[in-house]
PDB file of all heavy atoms in Angstrom:
ATOM      1  N   GLU A  19      -5.799   0.617   6.562  1.00 98.00           N
ATOM      2  CA  GLU A  19      -5.517   2.043   6.511  1.00 98.00           C
ATOM      3  C   GLU A  19      -4.217   2.322   5.765  1.00 98.00           C
ATOM      4  O   GLU A  19      -4.129   3.309   5.012  1.00 98.00           O
ATOM      5  CB  GLU A  19      -5.443   2.625   7.919  1.00 98.00           C
ATOM      6  CG  GLU A  19      -4.946   4.068   8.010  1.00 98.00           C
ATOM      7  CD  GLU A  19      -5.782   5.063   7.201  1.00 98.00           C
ATOM      8  OE1 GLU A  19      -6.976   4.775   6.923  1.00 98.00           O
ATOM      9  OE2 GLU A  19      -5.249   6.125   6.848  1.00 98.00           O
ATOM     10  N   MET A  20      -3.211   1.481   5.918  1.00 98.00           N
ATOM     11  CA  MET A  20      -1.959   1.684   5.187  1.00 98.00           C
ATOM     12  C   MET A  20      -2.187   1.594   3.682  1.00 98.00           C
ATOM     13  O   MET A  20      -1.681   2.416   2.914  1.00 98.00           O
ATOM     14  CB  MET A  20      -0.920   0.652   5.619  1.00 98.00           C
ATOM     15  CG  MET A  20      -0.289   0.916   6.969  1.00 98.00           C
ATOM     16  SD  MET A  20       1.113  -0.191   7.285  1.00 98.00           S
ATOM     17  CE  MET A  20       0.261  -1.731   7.627  1.00 98.00           C
ATOM     18  N   VAL A  21      -2.963   0.590   3.250  1.00 98.00           N
ATOM     19  CA  VAL A  21      -3.226   0.427   1.819  1.00 98.00           C
ATOM     20  C   VAL A  21      -4.042   1.595   1.285  1.00 98.00           C
ATOM     21  O   VAL A  21      -3.792   2.112   0.189  1.00 98.00           O
ATOM     22  CB  VAL A  21      -3.946  -0.912   1.565  1.00 98.00           C
ATOM     23  CG1 VAL A  21      -4.371  -1.030   0.103  1.00 98.00           C
ATOM     24  CG2 VAL A  21      -3.037  -2.088   1.940  1.00 98.00           C
ATOM     25  N   ARG A  22      -5.018   2.053   2.059  1.00 98.00           N
ATOM     26  CA  ARG A  22      -5.811   3.215   1.638  1.00 98.00           C
ATOM     27  C   ARG A  22      -4.915   4.437   1.475  1.00 98.00           C
ATOM     28  O   ARG A  22      -5.029   5.186   0.489  1.00 98.00           O
ATOM     29  CB  ARG A  22      -6.901   3.504   2.680  1.00 98.00           C
ATOM     30  CG  ARG A  22      -7.844   4.656   2.282  1.00 98.00           C
ATOM     31  CD  ARG A  22      -8.513   5.282   3.488  1.00 98.00           C
ATOM     32  NE  ARG A  22      -7.553   5.975   4.341  1.00 98.00           N
ATOM     33  CZ  ARG A  22      -7.121   7.209   4.107  1.00 98.00           C
ATOM     34  NH1 ARG A  22      -7.522   7.881   3.028  1.00 98.00           N
ATOM     35  NH2 ARG A  22      -6.269   7.787   4.937  1.00 98.00           N
ATOM     36  N   ARG A  23      -4.018   4.637   2.407  1.00 98.00           N
ATOM     37  CA  ARG A  23      -3.132   5.806   2.380  1.00 98.00           C
ATOM     38  C   ARG A  23      -2.166   5.744   1.203  1.00 98.00           C
ATOM     39  O   ARG A  23      -1.821   6.764   0.609  1.00 98.00           O
ATOM     40  CB  ARG A  23      -2.372   5.896   3.704  1.00 98.00           C
ATOM     41  CG  ARG A  23      -1.674   7.228   3.945  1.00 98.00           C
ATOM     42  CD  ARG A  23      -1.073   7.262   5.340  1.00 98.00           C
ATOM     43  NE  ARG A  23      -2.090   7.111   6.380  1.00 98.00           N
ATOM     44  CZ  ARG A  23      -1.831   7.030   7.685  1.00 98.00           C
ATOM     45  NH1 ARG A  23      -0.580   7.065   8.104  1.00 98.00           N
ATOM     46  NH2 ARG A  23      -2.813   6.898   8.549  1.00 98.00           N
ATOM     47  N   MET A  24      -1.707   4.557   0.854  1.00 98.00           N
ATOM     48  CA  MET A  24      -0.821   4.424  -0.309  1.00 98.00           C
ATOM     49  C   MET A  24      -1.477   4.989  -1.561  1.00 98.00           C
ATOM     50  O   MET A  24      -0.820   5.625  -2.393  1.00 98.00           O
ATOM     51  CB  MET A  24      -0.468   2.951  -0.541  1.00 98.00           C
ATOM     52  CG  MET A  24       0.441   2.331   0.488  1.00 98.00           C
ATOM     53  SD  MET A  24       0.686   0.566   0.109  1.00 98.00           S
ATOM     54  CE  MET A  24       1.313  -0.024   1.675  1.00 98.00           C
ATOM     55  N   GLY A  25      -2.770   4.740  -1.704  1.00 97.00           N
ATOM     56  CA  GLY A  25      -3.485   5.179  -2.894  1.00 97.00           C
ATOM     57  C   GLY A  25      -3.575   6.684  -3.045  1.00 97.00           C
ATOM     58  O   GLY A  25      -3.970   7.175  -4.112  1.00 97.00           O
ATOM     59  N   LEU A  26      -3.189   7.441  -2.021  1.00 98.00           N
ATOM     60  CA  LEU A  26      -3.210   8.896  -2.098  1.00 98.00           C
ATOM     61  C   LEU A  26      -1.992   9.453  -2.827  1.00 98.00           C
ATOM     62  O   LEU A  26      -1.959  10.624  -3.176  1.00 98.00           O
ATOM     63  CB  LEU A  26      -3.280   9.493  -0.685  1.00 98.00           C
ATOM     64  CG  LEU A  26      -4.491   9.082   0.158  1.00 98.00           C
ATOM     65  CD1 LEU A  26      -4.388   9.715   1.545  1.00 98.00           C
ATOM     66  CD2 LEU A  26      -5.795   9.475  -0.521  1.00 98.00           C
ATOM     67  N   TYR A  27      -0.986   8.602  -3.045  1.00 98.00           N
ATOM     68  CA  TYR A  27       0.231   9.030  -3.734  1.00 98.00           C
ATOM     69  C   TYR A  27       0.170   8.590  -5.194  1.00 98.00           C
ATOM     70  O   TYR A  27      -0.181   7.437  -5.477  1.00 98.00           O
ATOM     71  CB  TYR A  27       1.462   8.431  -3.058  1.00 98.00           C
ATOM     72  CG  TYR A  27       1.667   8.921  -1.644  1.00 98.00           C
ATOM     73  CD1 TYR A  27       1.023   8.293  -0.572  1.00 98.00           C
ATOM     74  CD2 TYR A  27       2.493  10.014  -1.371  1.00 98.00           C
ATOM     75  CE1 TYR A  27       1.200   8.742   0.733  1.00 98.00           C
ATOM     76  CE2 TYR A  27       2.673  10.462  -0.069  1.00 98.00           C
ATOM     77  CZ  TYR A  27       2.031   9.822   0.971  1.00 98.00           C
ATOM     78  OH  TYR A  27       2.197  10.261   2.259  1.00 98.00           O
ATOM     79  N   PRO A  28       0.510   9.478  -6.139  1.00 97.00           N
ATOM     80  CA  PRO A  28       0.400   9.138  -7.570  1.00 97.00           C
ATOM     81  C   PRO A  28       1.100   7.838  -7.952  1.00 97.00           C
ATOM     82  O   PRO A  28       0.560   7.055  -8.746  1.00 97.00           O
ATOM     83  CB  PRO A  28       1.039  10.346  -8.265  1.00 97.00           C
ATOM     84  CG  PRO A  28       0.811  11.482  -7.317  1.00 97.00           C
ATOM     85  CD  PRO A  28       0.918  10.889  -5.947  1.00 97.00           C
ATOM     86  N   ILE A  29       2.254   7.568  -7.394  1.00 98.00           N
ATOM     87  CA  ILE A  29       2.993   6.363  -7.782  1.00 98.00           C
ATOM     88  C   ILE A  29       2.298   5.092  -7.311  1.00 98.00           C
ATOM     89  O   ILE A  29       2.556   4.001  -7.820  1.00 98.00           O
ATOM     90  CB  ILE A  29       4.442   6.420  -7.232  1.00 98.00           C
ATOM     91  CG1 ILE A  29       5.294   5.324  -7.892  1.00 98.00           C
ATOM     92  CG2 ILE A  29       4.458   6.295  -5.701  1.00 98.00           C
ATOM     93  CD1 ILE A  29       6.757   5.395  -7.566  1.00 98.00           C
ATOM     94  N   LEU A  30       1.350   5.215  -6.354  1.00 98.00           N
ATOM     95  CA  LEU A  30       0.684   4.041  -5.797  1.00 98.00           C
ATOM     96  C   LEU A  30      -0.838   4.109  -5.901  1.00 98.00           C
ATOM     97  O   LEU A  30      -1.539   3.319  -5.259  1.00 98.00           O
ATOM     98  CB  LEU A  30       1.078   3.875  -4.313  1.00 98.00           C
ATOM     99  CG  LEU A  30       2.552   3.555  -4.035  1.00 98.00           C
ATOM    100  CD1 LEU A  30       2.825   3.613  -2.538  1.00 98.00           C
ATOM    101  CD2 LEU A  30       2.926   2.196  -4.596  1.00 98.00           C
ATOM    102  N   GLU A  31      -1.361   5.010  -6.724  1.00 96.00           N
ATOM    103  CA  GLU A  31      -2.807   5.207  -6.748  1.00 96.00           C
ATOM    104  C   GLU A  31      -3.576   3.980  -7.216  1.00 96.00           C
ATOM    105  O   GLU A  31      -4.745   3.801  -6.851  1.00 96.00           O
ATOM    106  CB  GLU A  31      -3.169   6.420  -7.611  1.00 96.00           C
ATOM    107  CG  GLU A  31      -2.748   6.332  -9.061  1.00 96.00           C
ATOM    108  CD  GLU A  31      -3.069   7.606  -9.818  1.00 96.00           C
ATOM    109  OE1 GLU A  31      -3.630   8.532  -9.189  1.00 96.00           O
ATOM    110  OE2 GLU A  31      -2.770   7.681 -11.023  1.00 96.00           O
ATOM    111  N   ASP A  32      -2.941   3.102  -7.996  1.00 96.00           N
ATOM    112  CA  ASP A  32      -3.614   1.875  -8.439  1.00 96.00           C
ATOM    113  C   ASP A  32      -2.943   0.631  -7.856  1.00 96.00           C
ATOM    114  O   ASP A  32      -3.120  -0.474  -8.367  1.00 96.00           O
ATOM    115  CB  ASP A  32      -3.631   1.785  -9.968  1.00 96.00           C
ATOM    116  CG  ASP A  32      -2.226   1.766 -10.567  1.00 96.00           C
ATOM    117  OD1 ASP A  32      -1.263   2.100  -9.844  1.00 96.00           O
ATOM    118  OD2 ASP A  32      -2.088   1.419 -11.749  1.00 96.00           O
ATOM    119  N   PHE A  33      -2.204   0.798  -6.769  1.00 98.00           N
ATOM    120  CA  PHE A  33      -1.492  -0.321  -6.148  1.00 98.00           C
ATOM    121  C   PHE A  33      -2.461  -1.165  -5.323  1.00 98.00           C
ATOM    122  O   PHE A  33      -3.118  -0.668  -4.410  1.00 98.00           O
ATOM    123  CB  PHE A  33      -0.368   0.213  -5.254  1.00 98.00           C
ATOM    124  CG  PHE A  33       0.483  -0.872  -4.639  1.00 98.00           C
ATOM    125  CD1 PHE A  33       1.398  -1.585  -5.406  1.00 98.00           C
ATOM    126  CD2 PHE A  33       0.380  -1.176  -3.287  1.00 98.00           C
ATOM    127  CE1 PHE A  33       2.191  -2.567  -4.844  1.00 98.00           C
ATOM    128  CE2 PHE A  33       1.173  -2.157  -2.716  1.00 98.00           C
ATOM    129  CZ  PHE A  33       2.076  -2.862  -3.495  1.00 98.00           C
ATOM    130  N   ARG A  34      -2.533  -2.455  -5.665  1.00 98.00           N
ATOM    131  CA  ARG A  34      -3.431  -3.382  -4.966  1.00 98.00           C
ATOM    132  C   ARG A  34      -2.614  -4.579  -4.503  1.00 98.00           C
ATOM    133  O   ARG A  34      -2.400  -5.530  -5.251  1.00 98.00           O
ATOM    134  CB  ARG A  34      -4.572  -3.812  -5.899  1.00 98.00           C
ATOM    135  CG  ARG A  34      -5.388  -2.640  -6.431  1.00 98.00           C
ATOM    136  CD  ARG A  34      -6.380  -3.092  -7.484  1.00 98.00           C
ATOM    137  NE  ARG A  34      -7.482  -3.842  -6.902  1.00 98.00           N
ATOM    138  CZ  ARG A  34      -8.342  -4.577  -7.600  1.00 98.00           C
ATOM    139  NH1 ARG A  34      -8.192  -4.690  -8.912  1.00 98.00           N
ATOM    140  NH2 ARG A  34      -9.325  -5.218  -7.002  1.00 98.00           N
ATOM    141  N   PRO A  35      -2.145  -4.554  -3.271  1.00 98.00           N
ATOM    142  CA  PRO A  35      -1.269  -5.627  -2.797  1.00 98.00           C
ATOM    143  C   PRO A  35      -2.001  -6.941  -2.615  1.00 98.00           C
ATOM    144  O   PRO A  35      -3.159  -6.980  -2.200  1.00 98.00           O
ATOM    145  CB  PRO A  35      -0.762  -5.096  -1.454  1.00 98.00           C
ATOM    146  CG  PRO A  35      -1.839  -4.163  -0.997  1.00 98.00           C
ATOM    147  CD  PRO A  35      -2.388  -3.536  -2.246  1.00 98.00           C
ATOM    148  N   VAL A  36      -1.300  -8.018  -2.951  1.00 97.00           N
ATOM    149  CA  VAL A  36      -1.870  -9.355  -2.810  1.00 97.00           C
ATOM    150  C   VAL A  36      -1.069 -10.170  -1.797  1.00 97.00           C
ATOM    151  O   VAL A  36      -1.429 -11.300  -1.481  1.00 97.00           O
ATOM    152  CB  VAL A  36      -1.908 -10.058  -4.176  1.00 97.00           C
ATOM    153  CG1 VAL A  36      -0.507 -10.502  -4.605  1.00 97.00           C
ATOM    154  CG2 VAL A  36      -2.869 -11.229  -4.183  1.00 97.00           C
ATOM    155  N   GLU A  37       0.008  -9.578  -1.279  1.00 97.00           N
ATOM    156  CA  GLU A  37       0.835 -10.270  -0.302  1.00 97.00           C
ATOM    157  C   GLU A  37       1.489  -9.257   0.615  1.00 97.00           C
ATOM    158  O   GLU A  37       1.831  -8.140   0.200  1.00 97.00           O
ATOM    159  CB  GLU A  37       1.915 -11.091  -1.010  1.00 97.00           C
ATOM    160  CG  GLU A  37       2.654 -12.076  -0.116  1.00 97.00           C
ATOM    161  CD  GLU A  37       4.069 -11.669   0.209  1.00 97.00           C
ATOM    162  OE1 GLU A  37       4.435 -10.507  -0.080  1.00 97.00           O
ATOM    163  OE2 GLU A  37       4.812 -12.491   0.759  1.00 97.00           O
ATOM    164  N   GLN A  38       1.604  -9.630   1.897  1.00 98.00           N
ATOM    165  CA  GLN A  38       2.287  -8.815   2.885  1.00 98.00           C
ATOM    166  C   GLN A  38       3.232  -9.709   3.681  1.00 98.00           C
ATOM    167  O   GLN A  38       2.844 -10.771   4.155  1.00 98.00           O
ATOM    168  CB  GLN A  38       1.289  -8.151   3.843  1.00 98.00           C
ATOM    169  CG  GLN A  38       1.938  -7.389   4.993  1.00 98.00           C
ATOM    170  CD  GLN A  38       0.927  -6.719   5.895  1.00 98.00           C
ATOM    171  OE1 GLN A  38      -0.166  -6.345   5.444  1.00 98.00           O
ATOM    172  NE2 GLN A  38       1.260  -6.558   7.167  1.00 98.00           N
ATOM    173  N   CYS A  39       4.471  -9.265   3.819  1.00 98.00           N
ATOM    174  CA  CYS A  39       5.464 -10.011   4.584  1.00 98.00           C
ATOM    175  C   CYS A  39       6.061  -9.091   5.639  1.00 98.00           C
ATOM    176  O   CYS A  39       6.640  -8.044   5.296  1.00 98.00           O
ATOM    177  CB  CYS A  39       6.560 -10.553   3.669  1.00 98.00           C
ATOM    178  SG  CYS A  39       7.846 -11.480   4.540  1.00 98.00           S
ATOM    179  N   ASN A  40       5.911  -9.448   6.906  1.00 98.00           N
ATOM    180  CA  ASN A  40       6.510  -8.700   8.003  1.00 98.00           C
ATOM    181  C   ASN A  40       7.808  -9.388   8.399  1.00 98.00           C
ATOM    182  O   ASN A  40       7.820 -10.593   8.652  1.00 98.00           O
ATOM    183  CB  ASN A  40       5.576  -8.660   9.215  1.00 98.00           C
ATOM    184  CG  ASN A  40       4.204  -8.100   8.885  1.00 98.00           C
ATOM    185  OD1 ASN A  40       4.059  -7.320   7.938  1.00 98.00           O
ATOM    186  ND2 ASN A  40       3.198  -8.470   9.648  1.00 98.00           N
ATOM    187  N   LEU A  41       8.893  -8.637   8.453  1.00 98.00           N
ATOM    188  CA  LEU A  41      10.184  -9.178   8.853  1.00 98.00           C
ATOM    189  C   LEU A  41      10.686  -8.454  10.094  1.00 98.00           C
ATOM    190  O   LEU A  41      10.651  -7.217  10.157  1.00 98.00           O
ATOM    191  CB  LEU A  41      11.213  -9.044   7.728  1.00 98.00           C
ATOM    192  CG  LEU A  41      10.995  -9.908   6.485  1.00 98.00           C
ATOM    193  CD1 LEU A  41      12.080  -9.629   5.450  1.00 98.00           C
ATOM    194  CD2 LEU A  41      10.974 -11.385   6.841  1.00 98.00           C
ATOM    195  N   ASP A  42      11.155  -9.227  11.057  1.00 97.00           N
ATOM    196  CA  ASP A  42      11.657  -8.697  12.326  1.00 97.00           C
ATOM    197  C   ASP A  42      13.175  -8.864  12.368  1.00 97.00           C
ATOM    198  O   ASP A  42      13.695  -9.991  12.250  1.00 97.00           O
ATOM    199  CB  ASP A  42      10.997  -9.461  13.485  1.00 97.00           C
ATOM    200  CG  ASP A  42      11.529  -9.030  14.840  1.00 97.00           C
ATOM    201  OD1 ASP A  42      11.300  -7.874  15.213  1.00 97.00           O
ATOM    202  OD2 ASP A  42      12.172  -9.857  15.518  1.00 97.00           O
TER     203      ASP A  42
END
């Protein structure tokens, strides 16, 4: 859902992430 929502913004409409890093 986060990736889908990113695509609604012009700066990220073609953003296709290949890596995710969670930092605590």
Side-chain angles (χ1 to χ4, degrees):
E19 171 58 23
M20 284 189 286
V21 174
R22 184 203 67 82
R23 194 174 299 176
M24 290 177 197
L26 301 178
Y27 296 86
I29 192 173
L30 294 172
E31 60 183 359
D32 60 345
F33 184 73
R34 302 173 72 194
V36 74
E37 192 253 11
Q38 174 179 331
C39 179
N40 304 334
L41 291 178
D42 177 66

